[in-house]
Amino acid sequence: MRERSAFDTALAGFVNDFASGDAVRHMADQGMTVTQIYGKLSFPTKKEAVAEMVWKHYLNTGRVRLAPPEGETLQKVTYVRDEGEFGRTSLRRVVEETPAPAEGYVHCNFGRELYRDETAFRKKLELLSETDREYILDLPWPLQDVWHILDGRMQRIREILGEENSTGVPDAPGR
């Protein structure tokens, strides 16, 4: 029974990614929040699945990192479909080296803050615009240190929250 459940879960993930994965990644790259992306999808996909796809995409592209950013390059992993000699299709993993973003990274602790005191964290986020608040609350932040690229959105969030950065921890190198 458990094997069937694991199979069903894997199949559902594959179907969701196949049906809406590229659209989700494209809209995430355009700066849309998970809620905005979820509202635009025509294929029935759970909001949690959209959030997970966006989070994995951010990890894969280096927008979000789970370790302090070091070095000048990031590894971007993609999969290419290859057809074999007899028409057999397979996926091949391709790793591309991309330069680290010029903006640098900011240290975030949103997962810990949300877990420690959800009410206080949500009250703190009330200072933000609805889209910035959605951006933070919709993503599945882990209970560990995270480094987010210091783009316009994160710069705005830092300024509005009135902190050196979102957690009071010094920014990561590369800024």
Side-chain angles (χ1 to χ4, degrees):
M1 185 73 176
R2 277 192 147 201
E3 291 175 23
R4 183 72 178 150
S5 176
F7 174 77
D8 289 344
T9 303
L11 182 61
F14 173 76
V15 169
N16 282 336
D17 192 56
F18 183 79
S20 54
D22 287 338
V24 167
R25 289 184 282 277
H26 174 73
M27 289 187 268
D29 286 341
Q30 300 302 313
M32 295 175 73
T33 66
V34 170
T35 300
Q36 292 169 332
I37 294 169
Y38 177 72
K40 291 203 177 271
L41 292 177
S42 58
F43 183 79
T45 307
K46 292 182 180 180
K47 188 174 179 181
E48 294 80 20
V50 173
E52 199 61 40
M53 279 189 250
V54 170
W55 184 257
K56 286 179 182 176
H57 177 63
Y58 284 169
L59 285 171
N60 189 31
T61 58
R63 182 175 248 355
V64 173
R65 299 182 62 132
L66 299 178
E70 296 172 4
E72 299 298 318
T73 61
L74 299 171
Q75 288 188 341
K76 181 179 178 182
V77 178
T78 55
Y79 292 89
V80 177
R81 183 183 308 221
D82 287 335
E83 280 198 34
E85 186 177 337
F86 300 106
R88 182 178 172 191
T89 303
S90 62
L91 295 177
R92 178 173 44 94
R93 185 175 189 239
V94 177
V95 179
E96 299 175 47
E97 294 287 329
T98 59
E103 300 96 334
Y105 286 86
V106 62
H107 180 258
C108 302
N109 231 351
F110 297 134
R112 284 189 185 141
E113 288 185 54
L114 182 63
Y115 182 75
R116 184 178 21 216
D117 188 353
E118 183 176 353
T119 307
F121 183 65
R122 286 181 181 273
K123 185 166 180 64
K124 175 180 167 181
L125 295 182
E126 286 177 4
L127 299 170
L128 301 174
S129 68
E130 184 178 348
T131 24
D132 289 344
R133 191 171 44 251
E134 277 178 6
Y135 181 78
I136 293 172
L137 292 175
D138 287 348
L139 289 174
W141 299 93
L143 297 175
Q144 68 183 70
D145 293 337
V146 174
W147 285 263
H148 191 290
I149 192 169
L150 186 57
D151 56 4
R153 172 178 276 150
M154 290 306 287
Q155 184 65 40
R156 187 175 56 246
I157 289 170
R158 284 174 35 160
E159 289 171 2
I160 291 172
L161 294 179
E163 299 176 3
E164 182 178 322
N165 65 35
S166 58
T167 61
V169 175
D171 291 336
R175 250 186 23 118

